[in-house]
Amino acid sequence: MIGALLAALAALLQPVALQRGDLLIYDALEPLARRPGSPPQSAIVAIDETSLAGLGRWPWSRELHAAVLDRLTDAGVAAIGMDLLFPENAEGDAELAAAMVRAGNVALATAPGALPGGRGLRDLLPTGSLAERAAAIGHVDVELDLDSLARRTFEHAGTATPAWPALSLAVLHLARPGAGGTSGAAVTPGADAAGLWVRSGEMLLPFPDRGLRPPTYSALAILRDAQLADSLRGKAVFIGATAAGLAAGLATPGSQNASPMPAVEFHARAFEAARNGQVYRSASPTTAAAFTLMIVALPLLSYPLIGIAGVIAGVAFLLLPLLASGIVLHFAHVWIGPSAALGGFVLGYALWLALFLRHTRGSLQRSRLGADATLRSITDAVITVDADRRIVLINEVAEKLTGTPLARVRGQAVAPFLAQFCSDGNEIDRLLQSCLQGQQAVRLSEPVTWRSADGDPCALRLTLAPIGSGKDGAVLAFNDVTESIAFTARLLHEATHDPLTGLPNRTLLLDRVRQALTQAKRKGSLVALLFVDLDRFKRINDSLGHQWGDHVLKIVAQRLSAAIRSGDTVSRWGGDEFIVLLDNVTDRNAVATVAGKIIELLDHEVETDESTSLIPSCSIGIAIGPLDSEDAETLLSMADKAMYRGKLEGGGSFTFYAADMNTWSRDRLKMEGALRHALANQEFELFYQPQVDILADRLIGMESLIRWRKPGSGLIGPGIFIPAAEECGVIRAIGEWALHEATAQIARWSAEGLRPVPVAVNVSARQCSDMSVVDVIRSALTGSAIDPALLKLELTESTAMHNVDFVATLLDSVNRIGVGVAVDDFGTGYSSLSYLKRFPISELKIDRSFVSEIASGGDDAAIVRGTIALAHGLEMKVVAEGVETAEQLEFLASYECDVAQGFYFAEPMPAAEIRRWLQGTPSQLARGGPNGKALRKA
C-alpha cells in the first residue's frame, strides 16, 4: 500500500525523471497501440540541395515560388501548405499572389517573432498582399519535450490569442472541407500586436516511423517534369526547405541514429496523423494519479485469491501499467504515462520480497543440510570446494576412486590433488575458476582419463557447477563413462567398417569421397575413384567354398592397402568389389601408375591348404573428380561403368571413364606427355590476327592464337591439342606461358619503335577457377613493363557462366589492374544479359557462325544487328569475327559495328610477319597496297 500511495503522489507531481521515462515508454508503446491508417495522402516538395543547384541560391524570387504553385495547381493537388515565411514585401509579390489566387487552396505559415527592443512577441504574418490572397494561414510552432525531442504541436496558437490553426490542420481543412478545424483566414490580429505566445489544443503525434512518412520530391524535379507533378493529383502538398543550412531540423524520437527531421516533414506527418485520427492528448496530473493508484492497488486486492505462489509469479504484473496505458491510448486517444505505476510495482514488490526472504532463510539452511546428505548418497564421485578452490567435502564414491579419506584431503588445493590421478589437473583448475567467476555450470568437453587408486584406467565425464553465486564454492561431479565410451566406439566401428576385412564400408567411403571432392574443388586438385572387381571370383567360392573365398578377400584387402598412400582409402563395396579413393592426385598418369601397381600386386599367387594356388586378377574402372562429376554417387557409378567396359574387353586391365566409354588410349597419354615436353622445350608459338577499326580503316588490336610446332609433325592447330591440355591440367601452364609471351612481344615491338596495339589473350575455364590468374597477369605486366591497357583477356560465355559470382570477382580484380575484358563467341552460349551488367566487360565479340550469313539477311543478320545495338547500349565495343567478304564488311559498317577480324584482312600470322601491320594501314596490306601483300583468301 505504501508503494501505491507513493506512486500516485509521483504521478500527481510529475517529477522530471518520471516525465522522461514516460516519453521513452510512449515512443516504444505508441506504434503498438496505434490504430491502423490509410497510406499517406500528402507529399513534400523539398527545396533541397539539388533544387538550389539547379534553380539558384536561396532566397528564391517570388516568381520562382509562383512557378512551383502553378505547376502544382495544373496538376490538380487538393491543397498546398507552404512551410515558408514571407513577412516582408519583395519583388514578385504580385506574381506570387496571383498564383495563390489561381490555386485557391494555398495555406501560408506564421510563427512567433520578437518585437524590436524586446517588447514582446508578435505574429510573423505573411506580407499584406500575400495574406489577403491566402486561402488559410497556419502556425508552424512545435513543442520540444524535456528530452529536447519534438513530439507535439498545438491545434491553435498565436500572440495573446490562439488565433491560428496548425498549418497541418489548415491544409487538412482545405483538402477536405468539413474535416474539422478552421482555415485560419478569419482571424487577423495586428501584425505588431505585442504579447505572449499562447497555445491551445495539444496534438501529441505518433512515433515517426517510416510507414507514416510522406513521399518527398525535389522542387527542381516538379518544375521540370510535368508527369511527376501530375502524380500528386488529389494530394495535399507541403512545400519547405530541406537543404542543409536553410532551416534547422527537428530532433525527433526517430532521429537518434539519423539526421534531424526537416520541419516541413514534421508538419506533413502531423497532417497524416490528423487525417487518420492518430492524434493524442496527455492526461491531466489528477487523472494520471488516479490511474496509477488503481493499477498499483490491483495486486493487493488479488493477493487473497492467488496466494504466495501467485505473488512470486506476479512479476508479470509489471506489464499491467504498460498494457493499460496502451489500451487507453488506442481507444481514448489519451496518453497516461505508466512510469509512476511501474515504480510503484517495483517498490512494493521489493518490500514484499525482502520480508519473504527473511522468513525463508531458515528453511534454506535446513535444505543445505539435506543437500549434504544427498551428496553422500549419489553414485557419482563428488568433490565440493570453497571459493578458494580448496576441498571441503568428498563423498564415499570419490574416496574409493582416489583411495583417500576426506580427513586427509580437506583443505587441500584441488588442482594438485587431481594432478595425481589425471593429466588434466591444470585445465580442470582453469574451468573451475571460470565456473566460479561466471556463476554457471561448465562441462569438460572430453572425458578425463583417470588413473584410479588400484591402477586401472577409466574415463570420467566431469561437470562443474557453482554453489549459489559461486561465493560458497563449487561442486565437481565425476561420472564414470568408461563402459559407455567403449560400447559407443564398438558400435561406430561396426557401423562404418566391413566385419570381414576391417576396411571402411560404403557409408564411411561415401563420406570420405564427398569430403575429398569438396577439398579438390577448393584446391584445384583431382580425386580418383578406382572400382576394383575380382575377375572370376565366383569360381573360387564354387570350387573351394566360402571359407576360402573370405580368405582371398582378406588377402586382397591387405594387398590393396599396401598399394596406396597412407592418406588414401581402401573400402569394401560388397562381394568381390573394392573401391580405392586416391585423394589430391595431379593427373591421370599418376592414377594409371597406381592402377597398374594394384593389378601387379593382385597378380601374385595365393596359397591354399590343398597345395593349389590362386591368382586373383582384377578389372579396374576409374573415374576422375571433379572432372567427370562433382557428385560422389555419380562418380562411383561412372567408375563402375568403366570397370564393366574393361571386363567386356577381357579384364585384367584398368579403364578410364569417358562419355562414350572409350578406353583411355595410349595416344592420349602420349599427347599429354608430349604437351608437357613441348612446354619445356618452347615448341609453342603465338600467331596474331589483326583487328581493324571499320570506320577509320586502321589497326586497333590483335588476337593472339597459340600454335604447336611439333618436331616431325609440323604446325598443329589448337583444336587438336587444347582439349587434351584441358583434361590433363597442363592448360594452366600453357595459359601462363601465353600471357608472358604476349606481353613480352608487345615490349619487343615497343623497343623496335613500332606503335603497339592491344593484344587479346584467350584464357581457359581452368585458369578462371581461382584467383591465381590475377597474379600471373601482374607478373607478366611487371616483367614486360608495358601499359596494362595493351593487354586484354578473352573468355567464352560458357567460362563466364560456370561460376558467375566467382568470375565476377575475378574479372573485377583484372579490371582494377587496367587490363580489358572481352567476351568471345557471344551468342553461342548462355547469352545472359544479367552477366553483361555484372561483369566489367569492355568488348563483345560476335561469333563467326553468325557473321558468315549476314549478307543474305535472315535470322543471323537480325541477331548481329541486335547484338550491336545491345553492346552499344551497354557502352561496349563490338568485334565481328570471321569477316571474309566485302559484303559482310559493308553490312557490319552499315550497322555501326566497331571492329572487324577475319580472313578478309589477314590470316593469323607469326610475330615477324605481323610487324608490317604495325607499320602500314589495313587497306594497303589487306588489298595489296604498294608495300603490302594481299592476304585475303580467294
Side-chain angles (χ1 to χ4, degrees):
M1 183 58 72
I2 294 175
L5 294 176
L6 291 176
L9 181 62
L12 186 64
L13 298 178
Q14 291 289 305
V16 171
L18 196 69
Q19 293 184 51
R20 288 181 177 270
D22 285 336
L23 291 174
L24 292 175
I25 295 174
Y26 172 82
D27 293 338
L29 192 61
E30 188 279 330
L32 303 176
R34 183 189 306 160
R35 292 181 180 178
S38 60
Q41 294 298 312
S42 62
I44 299 170
V45 174
I47 302 173
D48 53 9
E49 287 82 359
T50 302
S51 300
L52 296 178
L55 299 174
R57 298 174 56 188
W58 190 258
W60 284 352
S61 67
R62 301 290 167 87
E63 291 89 347
L64 187 53
H65 290 298
V68 175
L69 289 181
D70 285 338
R71 173 67 75 185
L72 295 175
T73 300
D74 294 341
V77 299
I80 303 172
M82 301 189 70
D83 183 21
L84 302 169
L85 297 176
F86 301 102
E88 298 175 358
N89 293 322
E91 184 177 351
D93 278 350
E95 286 79 1
L96 180 57
M100 292 168 57
V101 171
R102 286 191 294 272
N105 57 359
V106 179
L108 296 181
T110 184
L115 287 171
R119 293 183 292 111
L121 299 176
R122 66 183 181 92
D123 296 331
L124 287 178
L125 293 170
T127 185
S129 61
L130 299 181
E132 293 172 0
R133 304 307 193 279
I137 296 177
H139 76 83
V140 291
D141 182 31
V142 176
E143 172 80 0
L144 295 182
D145 291 319
L146 289 174
D147 55 3
S148 301
L149 300 180
R151 293 180 182 86
R152 68 192 83 207
T153 182
F154 293 86
E155 295 177 353
H156 291 84
T159 303
T161 301
W164 310 112
L167 181 63
S168 57
L169 295 182
V171 173
L172 179 62
H173 176 79
L174 294 175
R176 294 167 53 185
T182 62
S183 67
V187 182
T188 56
D192 294 328
L196 297 176
W197 185 260
V198 183
R199 300 160 168 166
S200 68
E202 177 195 27
M203 294 175 64
L204 183 58
L205 302 181
F207 181 87
D209 52 28
R210 292 184 177 274
L212 298 177
R213 182 180 182 182
T216 301
Y217 305 92
S218 171
L220 177 64
I222 292 295
L223 283 174
R224 291 184 175 179
D225 190 345
Q227 187 174 1
L228 177 62
D230 289 340
S231 68
L232 303 179
R233 182 178 302 276
K235 293 186 177 182
V237 177
F238 288 81
I239 304 174
T242 63
L246 291 190
L250 298 174
T252 67
S255 60
Q256 284 88 345
N257 297 320
S259 57
M261 180 185 295
V264 65
E265 181 182 336
F266 184 91
H267 298 302
R269 285 178 176 269
F271 169 89
E272 292 295 340
R275 185 182 64 83
N276 284 317
Q278 296 172 340
V279 176
Y280 314 103
R281 62 181 178 83
S282 300
S284 65
T286 54
T287 302
F291 170 86
T292 301
L293 187 61
M294 178 183 66
I295 295 298
V296 177
L298 185 60
L300 296 176
L301 299 176
S302 60
Y303 175 79
L305 301 176
I306 62 178
I308 293 178
V311 173
I312 294 175
V315 177
F317 276 113
L318 289 173
L319 299 176
L320 184 60
L322 300 175
L323 182 61
S325 292
I327 292 174
V328 173
L329 188 67
H330 179 82
F331 290 102
H333 282 207
V334 175
W335 170 243
I336 305 177
S339 294
L342 287 171
F345 267 123
V346 173
L347 178 61
Y349 195 84
L351 293 173
W352 176 87
L353 187 61
L355 294 174
F356 180 78
L357 293 176
R358 181 177 179 182
H359 287 297
T360 56
R361 183 176 299 169
S363 61
L364 290 176
Q365 292 176 347
R366 290 189 295 273
S367 298
R368 183 173 182 178
L369 295 176
D372 290 339
T374 302
L375 179 65
R376 296 180 179 277
S377 65
I378 62 177
T379 58
D380 288 351
V382 177
I383 300 177
T384 303
V385 299
D386 58 19
D388 296 325
R389 307 192 301 284
R390 295 186 176 277
I391 298 174
V392 176
L393 178 68
I394 62 174
N395 66 353
E396 293 181 1
V397 179
E399 288 180 346
K400 293 179 181 179
L401 188 66
T402 61
T404 308
L406 173 62
R408 287 178 53 188
V409 299
R410 180 181 281 124
Q412 290 187 23
V414 69
F417 176 71
L418 295 178
Q420 304 174 48
F421 307 98
C422 67
S423 59
D424 299 310
N426 292 332
E427 176 66 10
I428 294 174
D429 189 58
R430 186 188 65 80
L431 288 176
L432 182 57
Q433 293 184 54
S434 175
C435 172
L436 294 172
Q437 295 171 0
Q439 303 178 19
Q440 59 182 0
V442 179
R443 169 173 283 191
L444 202 62
S445 59
E446 297 294 333
V448 175
T449 302
W450 188 274
R451 299 180 300 277
S452 59
D454 56 8
D456 293 335
C458 57
L460 304 179
R461 179 74 68 182
L462 172 61
T463 303
L464 304 94
I467 300 174
S469 63
K471 295 181 180 179
D472 296 325
V475 174
L476 290 76
F478 295 86
N479 176 245
D480 192 343
V481 293
T482 306
E483 294 183 2
S484 176
I485 290 176
F487 180 73
T488 301
R490 287 195 301 271
L491 288 179
L492 180 60
H493 187 272
E494 291 172 2
T496 58
H497 288 77
D498 174 51
L500 177 64
T501 62
L503 296 176
N505 61 11
R506 293 189 179 199
T507 302
L508 183 54
L509 172 70
L510 283 171
D511 181 65
R512 291 185 179 178
V513 172
R514 294 187 184 103
Q515 293 182 28
L517 286 171
T518 301
Q519 292 293 331
K521 287 187 285 186
R522 184 179 299 121
K523 297 178 179 178
S525 60
L526 300 176
V527 173
L529 280 182
L530 282 65
F531 201 111
V532 181
D533 183 85
L534 301 183
D535 295 333
R536 298 171 294 279
F537 180 75
K538 187 174 183 298
R539 294 183 183 179
I540 299 176
N541 280 331
D542 293 343
S543 59
L544 300 178
H546 288 281
Q547 180 180 358
W548 275 106
D550 291 346
H551 175 68
V552 171
L553 291 175
K554 293 178 182 178
I555 297 297
V556 169
Q558 295 171 5
R559 292 180 180 180
L560 288 176
S561 299
I564 63 172
R565 302 167 298 181
S566 59
D568 298 328
T569 299
V570 177
S571 167
R572 186 183 178 200
W573 190 247
D576 61 344
E577 297 175 335
F578 296 84
I579 302 293
V580 177
L581 168 62
L582 302 180
D583 191 10
N584 196 26
V585 296
T586 55
D587 53 31
R588 292 178 182 265
N589 288 328
V591 179
T593 300
V594 175
K597 182 179 179 182
I598 290 173
I599 292 173
E600 181 182 353
L601 285 175
L602 294 187
D603 204 29
H604 294 169
E605 295 181 349
V606 176
E607 298 293 335
T608 69
D609 285 346
E610 300 179 0
S611 299
T612 60
S613 60
L614 304 173
I615 300 178
S617 65
C618 68
S619 297
I620 303 176
I622 306 172
I624 305 294
L627 294 181
D628 292 333
S629 176
E630 297 180 359
D631 178 71
E633 287 82 358
T634 304
L635 204 61
L636 282 164
S637 176
M638 291 175 172
D640 189 19
K641 292 176 182 178
M643 181 271 295
Y644 276 107
R645 174 58 68 89
K647 276 187 173 292
L648 291 175
E649 295 179 355
S653 62
F654 62 86
T655 307
F656 282 88
Y657 174 82
D660 56 356
M661 284 313 304
N662 288 327
T663 58
W664 182 253
S665 66
R666 292 178 178 268
D667 291 338
R668 180 53 64 89
L669 291 175
K670 279 184 170 181
M671 172 73 79
E672 291 180 8
L675 285 172
R676 299 181 191 279
H677 182 79
L679 193 61
N681 291 340
Q682 299 182 354
E683 295 174 10
F684 293 109
E685 297 181 18
L686 286 184
F687 278 44
Y688 301 88
Q689 187 171 30
Q691 295 176 335
V692 177
D693 186 312
I694 297 177
L695 181 61
D697 192 28
R698 64 184 178 88
L699 179 70
I700 64 166
M702 289 183 280
E703 180 181 0
S704 64
L705 300 164
I706 193 166
R707 299 291 186 267
W708 180 11
R709 196 172 295 279
K710 186 178 181 183
S713 301
L715 200 62
I716 300 176
I720 303 298
F721 64 87
I722 288 297
E726 287 273 7
E727 193 164 6
C728 69
V730 76
I731 189 66
R732 281 178 174 270
I734 294 175
E736 292 179 13
W737 173 86
L739 284 168
H740 281 281
E741 174 61 20
T743 53
Q745 182 60 61
I746 295 172
R748 288 193 290 269
W749 284 329
S750 298
E752 294 174 14
L754 299 175
R755 182 184 64 84
V757 293
V759 174
V761 179
N762 291 278
V763 292
S764 68
R766 280 283 190 105
Q767 289 175 275
C768 295
S769 63
D770 56 43
M771 299 296 291
S772 61
V773 69
V774 180
D775 297 329
V776 174
I777 293 171
R778 289 196 179 101
S779 173
L781 292 173
T782 302
S784 60
I786 66 169
D787 185 351
L790 291 175
L791 179 64
K792 288 189 294 186
L793 290 192
E794 280 194 18
L795 69 161
T796 62
E797 278 189 295
S798 58
T799 298
M801 293 302 295
H802 179 67
N803 185 343
V804 174
D805 293 334
F806 175 78
V807 173
T809 303
L810 173 68
L811 295 185
D812 185 61
S813 300
V814 172
N815 186 57
R816 285 200 297 269
I817 297 175
V819 174
V821 177
V823 173
D824 199 6
D825 301 339
F826 181 76
T828 62
Y830 293 85
S831 297
S832 172
L833 299 182
S834 61
Y835 85 77
L836 289 180
K837 295 188 295 183
R838 291 189 58 183
F839 297 162
I841 299 170
S842 59
E843 190 173 282
L844 210 60
K845 301 190 74 175
I846 302 174
D847 187 66
R848 65 182 67 250
S849 62
F850 298 116
V851 175
S852 61
E853 300 295 333
I854 57 174
S856 59
D859 292 341
D860 289 344
I863 291 172
V864 171
R865 288 196 300 269
T867 302
I868 294 172
L870 171 65
H872 286 171
L874 295 174
E875 298 183 352
M876 298 179 187
K877 185 183 294 183
V878 184
V879 179
E881 293 185 300
V883 179
E884 298 185 359
T885 67
E887 291 77 10
Q888 293 171 349
L889 183 62
E890 184 178 352
F891 177 91
L892 293 169
S894 65
Y895 288 98
E896 300 182 356
C897 180
D898 302 296
V899 181
Q901 173 184 345
F903 290 160
Y904 179 79
F905 297 101
E907 297 181 22
M909 294 173 285
E913 294 182 21
I914 200 70
R915 293 180 76 260
R916 293 181 294 108
W917 281 78
L918 296 173
Q919 298 169 335
T921 63
S923 58
Q924 292 175 331
L925 294 167
R927 301 171 182 83
N931 299 317
K933 176 182 178 183
L935 297 177
R936 176 183 173 186
K937 272 197 168 183

